[in-house]
Structure formats: C-alpha cells, structure tokens
Amino acid sequence: MMQVPEQEEIDSMPGIVAPCAECPSRPESLAVGVPLCLEDCNAELLEYQAANRQLQEVYGPARRQTFILQAAVQRSDAKVVESCLQSLQQLPSPQEVVGEKLWSNVEVRVRLCESGNVNTFLEGYLSCLQLKSFFDRGVITPPCPEACRTGIQIQDDERYLLSLVDALRELERFAVGRGRALDLRSIRVALRVAQCVEQSMMQFDFRNSDLRRRFDSVKYIVKRLENVVYEVDLARQRHSAALCQTEVAASEDDTVQS
C-alpha cells in the first residue's frame, strides 16, 4: 500500500511565542483589615444632589424663558423683552442657591454649573443680551454682566464666546428675514459683524474643544450671509430694471395717445 506523506504544519503567526499557562494569585479585597466609614461621603453626596436639584428647579425654567426672550428680540416685541429681562434679572445667583460652603469649592462649583443647568442658562441669556445690543446699538459684544460670571475666568470667557456664536446664528435668521424686504443695508451690516467676529476668533487656539466645534459653524454663517447679500443685490437690480421698463412703457403709451 502506498503511504501518503504527512502535511507539514504551517505556522500562521511566525515569531510569536505564547507564554505558558500560569494561574495568578486569587483576588482579594483591597480593604481587608481597613475599617470603612462612608457616612461622611454619603452626607456630601446628599448635599451635592440637593444643591443640584435646587439649581435645576431655578435655572431649568429660566433657560426656557430665554427662548421666549430670543424670539421677542427677533420680532422687536419691546414689551415682552422688557418683561422677560425683569423676570430673569430677579433670579437668585447660583451662589445664593447652593450656599457659600459648596460654592467656595471650585471643583464642586464647576460640576454644579454643568449639571444644574447654570451653564446652559447663562449661555442662552448672554446670547439674548448680545443680540439685543446689536439691534439697539450695533454692538454685538457688550460687557458681560457680573451676574453672568461664575468666578472661574476660563469658563466665563469660553461661555461668552459660545454665546457669541449662538448670537451669530440668530443674526443669520435676522438677515434672511430682512432679505424678504430687500433690506440690503441691514444684511451688509450683519455680514460685516459676522466677518469681524470670525477674524477675531481665528486668533485663538481652541484645540479640540466644544468651542472649536462651535467656531467651525461661524465660517458657514459668514458664507451664507454673503450668499444672502448677493441674492438680495440681484433681486434689487431686477426690481429696479422692472420699474424702469414699466416707466418706459407708460411713457410710450402716453406718447401714442397724445
């Protein structure tokens, strides 16, 4: 009988040597022999949760009111704007809500502002103030009110810039609305402001942060405003040409009748 030669084993992972199987030591609790006392931690956690709920109860509805304020600013409803501003200005400060003990701890303050709707409220409120300042005085970068500061300089500066980007988005909505009325001057003013903000913010190094992602939208806002300016300018030229043709046709009719 003819024998079939055995096939040689093929090493699929050359150069890799697997270690021999070896059992490690059994896992043990790291707290063996160490008395644990979590009562203090539990009390701090309960205090933090209570302060967080209080902030959400105050600034959750206030954040929703900023949407009403923003819409009122867009439609120039002075009565609603004044009413919303008075209501928001009467809100207690975050420090008054949580107490001096928690507020004095910077790390706890940062976490409370993030989880208690404080940051989102302040960002929306600042955006409304910036938009209102632009419509009233032509300045979209008014001074930041002291009530909108948390005492953490880096976060306060970043929040102001984030709200400025949101104000530019509302500025784009304003420009589109003025485009329906062929108000080319107002749209060009909005474009110049957006370009100035873009050039100023390009001087910063935002790295890979939320502010950097928000800033990326500024160049698209500028581009869309440029398109609105171009389209409205063409529409005005067509409108002027149509008026001229109408006047010429009317004068020719008068000449024929005479």
Side-chain angles (χ1 to χ4, degrees):
M1 176 181 286
M2 184 176 178
Q3 295 183 352
V4 179
E6 297 181 358
Q7 296 182 353
E8 296 182 358
E9 294 184 359
I10 301 176
D11 188 0
S12 59
M13 293 184 292
I16 298 178
V17 180
C20 298
E22 183 179 359
C23 295
S25 301
R26 301 291 296 178
E28 297 179 358
S29 174
L30 298 178
V32 173
V34 179
L36 295 178
C37 181
L38 300 178
E39 294 182 359
D40 295 340
C41 296
N42 188 41
E44 291 179 3
L45 178 60
L46 292 177
E47 186 179 13
Y48 174 85
Q49 290 176 340
N52 189 41
R53 284 194 298 270
Q54 291 174 350
L55 287 174
Q56 291 178 352
E57 290 173 358
V58 173
Y59 291 103
R63 173 55 176 154
R64 292 190 288 272
Q65 195 168 11
T66 59
F67 294 122
I68 301 175
L69 174 59
Q70 195 172 70
V73 172
Q74 280 282 12
R75 64 174 183 267
S76 298
D77 193 338
K79 185 177 181 180
V80 176
V81 169
E82 186 65 24
S83 174
C84 289
L85 286 176
Q86 290 181 357
S87 176
L88 293 175
Q89 289 169 357
Q90 294 174 358
L91 289 174
S93 66
Q95 182 177 357
E96 295 173 347
V97 175
V98 304
E100 183 64 30
K101 178 184 176 182
L102 290 177
W103 192 256
S104 60
N105 189 323
V106 177
E107 183 178 354
V108 174
R109 189 193 313 175
V110 171
R111 294 181 179 179
L112 284 173
C113 289
E114 290 176 351
S115 59
N117 291 328
V118 177
N119 286 344
T120 54
F121 160 73
L122 291 178
E123 185 180 327
Y125 182 51
L126 279 172
S127 177
C128 293
L129 295 181
Q130 290 164 345
L131 190 65
K132 183 176 182 298
S133 174
F134 172 73
F135 291 148
D136 292 344
R137 304 185 294 115
V139 179
I140 201 171
T141 53
C144 181
E146 191 63 32
C148 296
R149 298 180 183 273
T150 61
I152 305 173
Q153 188 66 38
I154 296 178
Q155 284 204 345
D156 290 340
D157 294 342
E158 182 175 346
R159 186 181 302 110
Y160 188 89
L161 293 177
L162 287 171
S163 63
L164 187 58
V165 175
D166 291 340
L168 288 182
R169 292 175 180 170
E170 293 301 314
L171 204 61
E172 180 188 353
R173 289 182 54 195
F174 163 76
V176 172
R178 297 311 303 163
R180 299 192 184 100
L182 300 182
D183 185 1
L184 186 59
R185 187 192 68 85
S186 296
I187 301 172
R188 282 177 172 166
V189 171
L191 174 60
R192 288 196 297 268
V193 169
Q195 289 173 334
C196 181
V197 172
E198 180 189 25
Q199 294 170 4
S200 300
M201 296 183 72
M202 286 177 65
Q203 308 303 316
F204 295 94
D205 182 11
F206 296 132
R207 301 182 182 275
N208 293 325
S209 62
D210 183 40
L211 186 54
R212 175 53 190 258
R213 291 187 289 273
R214 296 277 196 95
F215 170 68
D216 289 340
S217 66
V218 174
K219 57 185 178 182
Y220 296 109
I221 294 174
V222 172
K223 183 63 177 177
R224 286 191 288 268
L225 287 174
E226 290 174 345
N227 291 337
V228 173
V229 168
Y230 176 73
E231 292 173 1
V232 171
D233 191 17
L234 285 181
R236 287 170 61 93
Q237 292 178 18
R238 289 195 297 265
H239 182 67
S240 299
L243 288 178
C244 291
Q245 292 179 357
T246 302
E247 292 176 358
V248 170
S251 61
E252 290 178 352
D253 291 341
D254 295 339
T255 302
V256 171
Q257 291 176 1
S258 60

